[in-house]
Amino acid sequence: MIAIRNTLHPEDMSADFRSMADVIGANALPMYDRMQDGPQIAHEALVMSFAATEGGRAHLTGLRTFLLRRQGIVPGDIVYDYDAAHLLHSFIARAATPYFYDAIEQSGLDDLFGQLVVQWPEPLTDNIVAASHRGLTVVAS
């Protein structure tokens, strides 16, 4: 199982997306974490998605199985999400090797979405870690 800490890349910011709160408010986070520069997540990996907050903390937003697509092949739900089109276009412009994932929602942690808060391990630039990482600690649930 993998844990991913989503942050808004500075090059993806716009008038509509100034912060992770804007991404979440537009319901674009389930799309945003499926865009990776390189094949960062193994095919069929179970992924706990977190949204970054202050002080290296992150709150749980989803649990999904990620299915890796061939490089550059964008899922239709991402292509046709016009409200979040800026995120897709800016990602493609900045990514050296854009990869996309399909995702299958998984149940089991639904009652923890938005409630479970973890302290992310240092360095915070490592946005993808094993869910069993020793430095990934629960601070609230």
Side-chain angles (χ1 to χ4, degrees):
M1 185 181 303
I2 300 297
I4 181 171
R5 177 178 170 267
N6 290 287
T7 59
L8 183 60
H9 191 281
E11 292 178 43
D12 297 344
M13 291 180 180
S14 68
D16 292 329
F17 299 106
R18 299 172 308 259
S19 67
M20 283 305 298
D22 293 335
V23 175
I24 293 167
N27 197 31
L29 186 55
M31 172 201 80
Y32 193 58
D33 70 351
R34 292 169 41 214
M35 301 185 296
Q36 297 292 323
D37 194 355
Q40 303 294 319
I41 300 168
H43 181 67
E44 297 184 344
L46 186 58
V47 178
M48 296 176 72
S49 294
F50 291 87
T53 59
E54 298 294 319
R57 293 187 174 186
H59 67 270
L60 182 66
T61 61
L63 177 66
R64 297 174 292 161
T65 300
F66 274 31
L67 306 170
L68 182 63
R69 289 177 156 243
R70 286 183 297 132
Q71 182 183 359
I73 305 299
V74 185
D77 67 307
I78 292 177
V79 169
Y80 295 111
D81 187 341
Y82 299 118
D83 294 333
H86 171 79
L87 293 174
L88 171 62
H89 295 287
S90 61
F91 166 73
I92 290 171
R94 72 172 164 80
T97 53
Y99 276 84
F100 299 88
Y101 294 82
D102 289 313
I104 301 169
E105 298 293 329
Q106 301 295 328
S107 60
L109 298 179
D110 298 1
D111 58 332
L112 294 175
F113 296 162
Q115 303 298 315
L116 178 66
V117 179
V118 297
Q119 180 64 47
W120 204 259
E122 295 287 338
L124 294 178
T125 54
D126 291 343
N127 285 325
I128 300 172
V129 298
S132 61
H133 189 289
R134 287 182 21 170
L136 188 63
T137 56
V138 174
V139 295
S141 60

